[in-house]
Amino acid sequence: MKKTLKDIDVKGKKVIVRVDYNVPLDAGLNITNDKRIVATLPTINYLLQQNAAVILIAHLGRPKGKAVDSMSLKPVAPKLAELLGKPVKFVGKDVISAEAKKAAADLKSGEILLLENLRFHPEEEGKNAAGEKDKAALDAFAKELASLGEVFVQDAFGTVHRAHASTAGIVKYVKDAAAGFLVEKELKFLGEALDKPVKPFVAILGGAKVSDKINVIENLLNKVDAIIIGGAMAYTFLKSQGIGTGTSLVEDDKLDLAKELLKKAADKKVNFLLPVDHVVADKVDFVNKAVPAGAKVEITSDASIPAGFMGVDAGPKSIEKFGEVVKSAKTIVWNGPLGIFEIPEFAKGTVEIAKLAAEATDKGAISVVGGGDSVSAVKKAGVDKRITHISTGGGASLEFLEGKELPGIAALPEK
Ligand code: AMP
């Protein structure tokens, strides 16, 4: 078990906290969704109660190793101050500038300092000034970051799957380190779901591509009782069985793999559920996320999709069939939408699954939802409060489901 915040001494110390403040900004640089900032409040408030001086480091966007004004973390400071009800200092110069170092050195117990975007430095992501991979540059930058404080707390779950200076690199240069409350919660729910799931354990996987989720499917086949496959992914599986898929999004180079995964599922006696009917359309406006005027939208009578039509959502019989399995589940892990849910007409399957997961949770199941689209879907369905755990890290939760080691977690010391 990795050390968590309450395992380390932070009283009166200068504590560097890696947070995920990669928030969406509008053209006027206003924060349009503050959930990632809100998610860090428990850790920050605990540190303040312990009289720590809190030094926050984070990234925003993809500035690719250069200072980019529109990706400054400046707008986050007043928002965080408002949420905490306390002033938050911000240094606009880069994160290891003389000004930043002085602000960190001068910071008193109970004060909060936010530093500038880590990714303005190419070294954060392991590159040197010339843009080449450079482990020594990452290490040197990590050491500079570590010199800002005494102990380190990792609370940016959204970046722990990256081996960056502020995730894995910094740990060896501080006196002590631990996972913050947010990371602790993520590891608890994702970890318990995968390591000791209460059975029946059902995974629901959707989204655009099989290729993105092969490793998740492979890993979960060893653990689950049932896998429900939806979204465009399902059509590759159906085509591999010789079922018509019309103009649906299919990865033709993954047909053999799809067959292999179906065979593995059968060998392991995992109930592998594919849609048995579909909502189909002859035209979809992917750019404007809309149903074009005059488009034909139909529901198929079985799993096959007629020529000239593409699958856009799970049909009613599929939802019913999936529902029976979800309702009886005691552990549910869900990642990826079951249709093109950004288009309201094609969101039904995804929204219904969200409701079914919430119903199962009301009856005692543990439900864990990850991935930006599924998280929006549970909100859209109005059931987000009824889900056991909504993961804050899309990429990180997916890699966790793949059974991969997350470098930002692996680097933390054991209890
Ligand atoms: P992912 O990032 O892999 O979870 O994929 C999410 C995307 O898959 C969303 O933008 C959905 O619109 C898309 N998607 C889901 N179902 C379909 C479908 N039937 N056809 C095309 N795209 C889909």
Side-chain angles (χ1 to χ4, degrees):
M1 281 283 278
K2 296 293 177 183
K3 277 191 185 176
T4 58
L5 193 42
K6 289 196 175 162
D7 297 321
I8 63 169
D9 182 14
V10 292
K11 273 201 194 76
K13 295 232 160 81
K14 283 213 160 77
V15 182
I16 306 163
V17 189
R18 174 57 160 111
V19 284
D20 180 1
Y21 286 165
N22 191 16
V23 291
L25 298 173
D26 65 14
L29 303 182
N30 302 297
I31 297 166
T32 55
N33 184 332
D34 64 5
K35 74 171 198 284
R36 287 190 163 147
I37 307 176
V38 172
T40 65
L41 299 179
T43 289
I44 297 173
N45 279 322
Y46 172 80
L47 290 170
L48 294 174
Q49 280 160 19
Q50 299 291 311
N51 276 322
V54 181
I55 301 160
L56 302 167
I57 55 173
H59 80 277
L60 197 156
R62 291 186 175 155
K64 304 214 167 106
K66 292 196 174 54
V68 178
D69 286 348
S70 63
M71 293 182 205
S72 167
L73 280 162
K74 193 172 176 199
V76 175
K79 180 46 104 183
L80 176 62
E82 181 194 318
L83 291 166
L84 283 169
K86 272 187 194 304
V88 173
K89 297 181 183 188
F90 176 72
V91 174
K93 293 281 165 114
D94 80 67
V95 59
I96 53 165
S97 61
E99 288 86 344
K101 286 180 182 169
K102 181 166 186 322
D106 291 347
L107 198 71
K108 298 191 183 63
S109 289
E111 291 184 337
I112 308 139
L113 169 68
L114 172 65
L115 295 176
E116 189 50 289
N117 194 335
L118 289 157
R119 292 193 187 170
F120 286 178
H121 280 265
E123 297 86 352
E124 161 67 358
E125 295 175 83
K127 292 184 182 142
N128 59 26
E132 298 150 343
K133 267 203 172 158
D134 188 338
K135 175 82 174 66
L138 180 147
D139 262 342
F141 181 62
K143 198 171 175 185
E144 290 267 34
L145 290 177
S147 74
L148 294 165
E150 299 168 88
V151 295
F152 174 70
V153 172
Q154 175 55 267
D155 219 17
F157 185 69
T159 55
V160 290
H161 58 311
R162 309 280 183 216
H164 289 170
S166 69
T167 60
I170 187 170
V171 176
K172 61 177 174 288
Y173 297 113
V174 288
K175 289 200 191 100
D176 209 354
F181 293 142
L182 174 64
V183 167
E184 182 182 6
K185 192 165 149 232
E186 293 276 3
L187 295 179
K188 173 180 155 51
F189 285 109
L190 286 164
E192 280 177 7
L194 289 197
D195 296 339
K196 36 181 169 151
V198 184
K199 300 266 187 165
F201 177 12
V202 178
I204 309 161
L205 298 174
K209 291 187 185 157
V210 180
S211 47
D212 288 345
K213 289 181 187 156
I214 299 166
N215 296 331
V216 177
I217 298 174
E218 296 241 20
N219 189 37
L220 291 180
L221 278 178
N222 298 316
K223 300 173 187 282
V224 299
D225 301 290
I227 289 195
I228 293 171
I229 300 279
M233 259 209 306
Y235 312 128
T236 301
F237 283 100
L238 291 174
K239 188 165 178 181
S240 80
Q241 300 301 291
I243 295 171
T245 50
T247 56
S248 303
L249 197 63
V250 167
E251 287 171 276
D252 281 311
D253 59 336
K254 295 288 177 293
L255 293 173
D256 286 342
L257 177 90
K259 257 190 218 163
E260 229 174 83
L261 289 171
L262 286 168
K263 178 163 185 314
K264 266 192 197 164
D267 291 347
K268 290 179 188 291
K269 302 204 166 35
V270 170
N271 186 8
F272 202 99
L273 290 104
L274 291 165
V276 290
D277 62 349
H278 316 273
V279 178
V280 295
D282 65 344
K283 283 189 225 105
V284 175
D285 181 349
F286 282 101
V287 178
N288 298 308
K289 305 278 178 210
V291 185
K296 274 195 234 149
V297 177
E298 292 173 11
I299 292 172
T300 60
S301 56
D302 59 22
S304 92
I305 297 175
F309 282 85
M310 83 165 44
V312 293
D313 196 7
K317 284 192 251 175
S318 306
I319 296 170
E320 204 183 317
K321 194 173 148 215
F322 296 165
E324 281 161 23
V325 173
V326 175
K327 274 190 208 152
S328 65
K330 284 282 170 273
T331 304
I332 300 164
V333 166
W334 176 23
N335 189 301
L338 297 205
I340 311 175
F341 88 110
E342 299 92 332
I343 302 179
E345 290 87 340
F346 306 150
K348 189 153 193 267
T350 306
V351 167
E352 288 303 315
I353 282 289
K355 288 184 186 160
L356 288 162
E359 270 172 42
T361 315
D362 292 344
K363 286 194 276 159
I366 301 286
S367 53
V368 180
V369 177
D373 291 324
S374 322
V375 173
S376 326
V378 290
K379 295 222 166 101
K380 201 166 176 173
V383 298
D384 47 319
K385 301 274 181 308
R386 291 160 61 198
I387 297 294
T388 314
H389 179 62
I390 296 183
S391 179
T392 53
S397 66
L398 211 53
E399 291 200 14
F400 199 99
L401 296 181
E402 288 177 5
K404 271 197 196 153
E405 182 178 83
L406 306 172
I409 302 299
L412 296 174
E414 297 289 328
K415 276 195 195 201

